[in-house]
Amino acid sequence: MEAVAEIDQWPMDCFTTMECELNSFDSVREFCKHLDQWRGIKPVDRLICNAGVYQPSLPYAKWSADGHEQTMQINFLSHFLMISLLMDGMKEAPDPRIITVGSVTGNDNTVGGGGVYPIADLKTLEGFKAGFNNPVSMADGYGFDGAKAYKDSKLCLMMLANILHAKFHKSHGIAFSSIYPGCIAESPLFREKRAWFRKYFPIFMKYITGGFVGEEEAGQRLFQVAHDPRCAKSGVYWSWNGGPREGRGAEALEKDGQISGGGGAGGGWDSIFENEQSAKVQNLDTTVDLFSTATTISGAQWPDPAAMSASPPPTLKIISSISKANIAREEDKRRSERPGLDVNGSKKEETAKDGTGSAAVITDTDKGVLSSIISETLTAEEKDAEKVAATVA
């Protein structure tokens, strides 16, 4: 960081670097502890979860210090833990924001996310539900695929922003959002791809699809979501307008594909918009399971919903203090009866007419006796009918 600051001529007294190894939950906890000590009474107002690894060519999983698959822990689980540790300290800040960096590859309603194998898909999270410890290497519990592990982690980050918005935006006043800054095809993210891919993929993205975004422009987009007043809105997946190939042509060749604005992978500063998320990202049941299992895996601790309740107005406090005993008495009276349920809250068995408490059972012997009675009754009725007929004749 100091080297970057020196190259870009940043004042060294305007920032502080702190080490955090996302491959270790202990390191994340230590980082958050040091940050809390360093900030004192000044709250953190921005948290951007941007770190990511992409290991598509790995034939087997690599494991974190905690025994979890590296890509998922670094990209998602450690960010998940970090947010849980820092969130309470952010709610006192003016306009606090937490931003997770998603990806087109995690949003399968796009060509990049739904048309290129492997597809991001958590299925029913069997891997997470099993604890996600070595040898379980994928969230869905199936075989390891390095590219899919990356895409799944991005899907998780987008789902995380949604559930954090639903659970904590109102209580903490934090704007939770996710973004896709564009395809940063020349970044070190692709360092583990084959040499031919690293050479031709940027060219393809620059001159054919128009989806290319330089690192500087991607950084501008992160900065925008962190500071633009329009991006104070919570629960949004931010993107930029102006699709692939728009405004490319000769201009792309003249500027070597480095176009900031309408000719890039989306538009510029004024073209930001609320993008549509795929059905997978918006799946409520899977999102709730993801939050629950990730909490168990990472050891995250979230605020108690009961403790987040807003303080009641003074009038309600006075009325409640007067009526509290009466309310409790009436509620006890109501709860003294449990129609259809036993004392444990289970459904009562229906009482048969014989008073045994269970349905009457007809045995084979009973069936035989009943059959005999019915047969004798029918025979007697037939004989009576014959006598009547003979008398009439």
Side-chain angles (χ1 to χ4, degrees):
M1 187 69 188
E2 286 83 355
V4 173
E6 184 178 349
I7 293 172
D8 290 344
Q9 297 182 342
W10 289 356
M12 297 295 289
D13 58 352
C14 290
F15 67 93
T16 300
T17 58
M18 296 183 183
E19 181 179 353
C20 181
E21 173 54 74
L22 294 176
N23 204 37
S24 164
F25 289 148
D26 284 343
S27 179
V28 172
R29 293 187 182 93
E30 195 66 17
F31 164 78
C32 293
K33 179 182 176 182
H34 287 164
L35 179 58
D36 271 339
Q37 293 171 345
W38 174 82
R39 70 178 178 84
I41 61 172
K42 183 179 180 180
V44 174
D45 61 356
R46 300 292 190 274
L47 175 59
I48 301 175
C49 300
N50 184 45
V53 295
Y54 179 45
Q55 304 178 102
S57 58
L58 279 181
Y60 52 83
K62 289 183 178 179
W63 307 100
S64 72
D66 303 284
H68 308 305
E69 191 276 319
Q70 273 189 0
T71 301
M72 183 61 77
Q73 173 152 346
I74 292 171
N75 295 5
F76 171 66
L77 288 169
S78 285
H79 284 134
F80 183 91
L81 175 61
M82 183 181 293
I83 292 171
S84 75
L85 294 170
L86 297 178
M87 192 176 70
D88 267 352
M90 296 180 65
K91 62 184 179 182
E92 301 303 326
D95 185 27
R97 304 183 192 184
I98 294 180
I99 303 157
T100 63
V101 178
S103 172
V104 68
T105 62
N107 209 30
D108 70 356
N109 60 351
T110 63
V111 174
V116 179
Y117 184 83
I119 309 299
D121 190 349
L122 304 177
K123 295 186 168 57
T124 57
L125 285 164
E126 293 303 318
F128 269 26
K129 290 175 182 177
F132 199 57
N133 291 305
N134 187 351
V136 179
S137 59
M138 299 294 288
D140 63 9
Y142 292 96
F144 177 74
D145 184 301
K148 187 176 187 301
Y150 174 82
K151 294 181 179 183
D152 284 354
S153 72
K154 291 300 179 179
L155 172 59
C156 289
L157 286 167
M158 295 166 72
M159 296 168 79
L160 175 61
N162 291 346
I163 194 168
L164 290 176
H165 163 72
K167 290 174 71 71
F168 302 116
H169 171 61
K170 187 174 182 180
S171 62
H172 284 62
I174 298 173
F176 299 97
S177 62
S178 59
I179 78 165
Y180 170 56
C183 183
I184 316 171
E186 290 181 337
S187 78
L189 180 67
F190 298 97
R191 60 185 175 273
E192 294 197 20
K193 296 291 284 186
R194 295 178 178 86
W196 67 266
F197 181 92
R198 295 197 303 273
K199 179 179 180 180
Y200 293 108
F201 183 58
I203 297 173
F204 178 78
M205 297 306 293
K206 287 180 184 179
Y207 305 115
I208 308 300
T209 72
F212 177 86
V213 172
E215 291 181 68
E216 182 176 351
E217 184 175 0
Q220 291 172 357
R221 292 177 175 181
L222 273 176
F223 178 85
Q224 179 175 9
V225 176
H227 295 283
D228 191 331
R230 290 171 292 184
C231 300
K233 185 175 180 180
S234 187
V236 176
Y237 172 48
W238 296 107
S239 294
W240 286 260
N241 254 323
R245 289 183 294 276
E246 242 182 68
R248 305 301 284 179
E251 188 180 7
L253 295 174
E254 291 169 5
K255 297 185 179 181
D256 195 30
Q258 303 279 355
I259 302 175
S260 178
W269 188 276
D270 290 326
S271 297
I272 192 168
F273 74 104
E274 300 175 27
N275 203 351
E276 181 181 355
Q277 296 176 326
S278 70
K280 285 178 184 173
V281 177
Q282 298 182 70
N283 187 303
L284 182 59
D285 292 336
T286 306
T287 301
V288 171
D289 284 346
L290 174 66
F291 188 85
S292 175
T293 53
T295 296
T296 301
I297 294 167
S298 65
Q301 294 183 328
W302 300 96
D304 180 4
M308 297 189 297
S309 300
S311 178
T315 304
L316 179 57
K317 288 182 178 179
I318 295 171
I319 294 175
S320 295
S321 65
I322 298 172
S323 60
K324 184 177 180 180
N326 185 56
I327 291 173
R329 183 170 56 254
E330 292 300 320
E331 180 65 4
D332 287 342
K333 184 190 300 182
R334 186 187 69 83
R335 295 176 63 182
S336 66
E337 300 177 3
R338 307 198 77 177
L341 302 177
D342 61 22
V343 293
N344 297 317
S346 301
K347 185 178 179 181
K348 286 183 179 179
E349 293 185 9
E350 294 183 7
T351 303
K353 291 183 178 180
D354 61 4
T356 61
S358 59
V361 178
I362 300 177
T363 64
D364 291 339
T365 303
D366 294 333
K367 291 178 182 178
V369 173
L370 289 171
S371 178
S372 176
I373 293 172
I374 293 171
S375 178
E376 291 176 2
T377 301
L378 291 174
T379 302
E381 289 177 350
E382 289 172 357
K383 288 179 179 180
D384 289 342
E386 288 175 1
K387 288 179 181 179
V388 172
T391 302
V392 173

